[in-house]
Amino acid sequence: MNIEPSVPKTIAGLMNCAEWQAVLDAWKRGAAPDAEGYVQAFSPLCAPERQTFVGQLGQSIDGRIATATGDSFYINCQEALDHLHCLRALCDAVVVGVGTVVADNPQLTVRRVPGDSASRVIIDPNGRIPKDARLLHDEAAPTIVLTRDRVTLDLPAHVEVRRLPEADDGRLCCHAIAEALSDFKRILIEGGACTVSRFIDCGLLDRLHVMVAPLIIGAGPTGIQLPPLNKLSEAHRPMAAMHQLGTDWLLDLDLKQELPH
């Protein structure tokens, strides 16, 4: 396989350069890419009919996103990281909770594949974002902080602040967040697990991409954290497609289409 010099070699585990370029071209046209298999996982982001939310999680085979001590670098393989950057490149906004910023100090930019970086959105109802967070100062992409009405923030001038009313639990309501981001059509809910789970619970996620590594951790936080059910008949059974990426497996879940019980 021939790899263009400008493309990281690890993208060979995802698709060849022509296929990824076809995805980017389809995205620019607002059309579904003319391809099968793994590339179909990107179709809903290339040609969305309305505001679309996609979540992503990386976890072990026993559902853990970190060890009991918090070590999570890296559960998933290099191809899984490439896939995450592909999602960033195809979305208009990338959303994380402030806990992810505190724990990981992420950049949330596109670096591993060709494509532009999306606007970065941090959910921070209590003004916890560290003043030295990289994404506040690198100006690598537009940055927005969502917070409560009465919270005081000391942020660089180029960082936009959008204020939302708080919910009864002191958090920001996911539906209010969606309304505050109505100027974006394709929205990636990247993390952490609590934020992704809240969007699932509210019924706002259209799709969920779960990267599963052949790794057994045994203890530690889980990726999806929802209220308990009494009966299996109440469980979500989304339509799913599976693709192998390197040593990991991608589960592409359509949360708007349920399998029959």
Side-chain angles (χ1 to χ4, degrees):
M1 185 189 311
N2 293 323
I3 302 296
E4 296 294 333
S6 61
V7 180
K9 290 184 178 179
T10 52
I11 201 173
L14 295 176
M15 60 188 87
N16 64 42
C17 299
E19 285 178 317
W20 176 238
Q21 190 59 53
V23 172
L24 289 177
D25 291 343
W27 175 79
K28 292 175 183 177
R29 299 193 314 269
D34 184 16
E36 298 181 354
Y38 167 68
V39 176
Q40 290 182 331
F42 299 121
S43 294
L45 294 174
C46 289
E49 297 179 356
R50 53 177 174 77
Q51 188 181 49
T52 297
F53 290 84
V54 56
Q56 79 83 34
L57 287 170
Q59 64 181 45
S60 65
I61 200 168
D62 56 341
R64 309 292 177 176
I65 59 172
T67 66
T69 61
D71 183 21
S72 62
F73 293 101
Y74 286 107
I75 286 176
N76 295 103
C77 67
Q78 294 298 305
E79 289 82 1
L81 294 175
D82 289 343
H83 176 75
L84 171 58
H85 283 240
C86 287
L87 290 178
R88 290 178 183 172
L90 298 178
C91 285
D92 307 312
V94 178
V95 179
V96 297
V98 69
T100 295
V101 179
V102 172
D104 299 337
N105 196 17
Q107 294 173 267
L108 304 181
T109 53
V110 177
R111 303 181 302 281
R112 299 178 66 92
V113 300
D116 296 328
S117 295
S119 293
R120 303 173 293 192
V121 180
I122 302 93
I123 303 171
D124 186 13
N126 298 309
R128 294 175 51 215
I129 190 166
K131 291 184 179 181
D132 60 351
R134 287 190 293 181
L135 52 72
L136 293 181
H137 301 284
D138 60 15
E139 298 190 53
T143 304
I144 301 168
V145 175
L146 305 180
T147 193
R148 295 183 296 161
D149 288 329
R150 294 184 296 276
V151 171
T152 300
L153 294 172
D154 181 16
L155 301 174
H158 65 270
V159 176
E160 181 183 354
V161 177
R162 299 187 183 184
R163 297 187 178 276
L164 286 68
E166 65 181 86
D168 293 338
D169 59 3
R171 296 178 172 180
L172 299 181
C173 170
C174 291
H175 290 281
I177 292 170
E179 179 62 29
L181 300 178
S182 61
D183 49 330
F184 299 109
K185 195 165 188 180
R186 309 167 180 90
I187 300 175
L188 171 61
I189 308 298
E190 182 169 323
C194 179
T195 300
V196 174
S197 297
R198 288 183 63 217
F199 273 83
I200 295 173
D201 194 35
C202 289
L204 282 171
L205 275 195
D206 296 281
R207 305 191 81 85
L208 178 63
H209 287 194
V210 182
M211 294 298 312
V212 181
L215 177 70
I216 300 173
I217 298 176
T222 55
I224 300 176
Q225 306 158 11
L226 298 175
L229 300 176
N230 293 320
K231 299 179 180 179
L232 280 179
S233 60
E234 300 171 351
H236 290 293
R237 296 178 185 266
M239 297 286 291
M242 182 178 290
H243 310 280
Q244 186 167 8
L245 300 182
T247 58
D248 293 0
W249 288 91
L250 165 65
L251 290 174
D252 175 19
L253 306 175
D254 184 347
L255 299 184
K256 298 303 182 183
Q257 293 195 57
E258 295 269 331
L259 290 167
H261 289 274

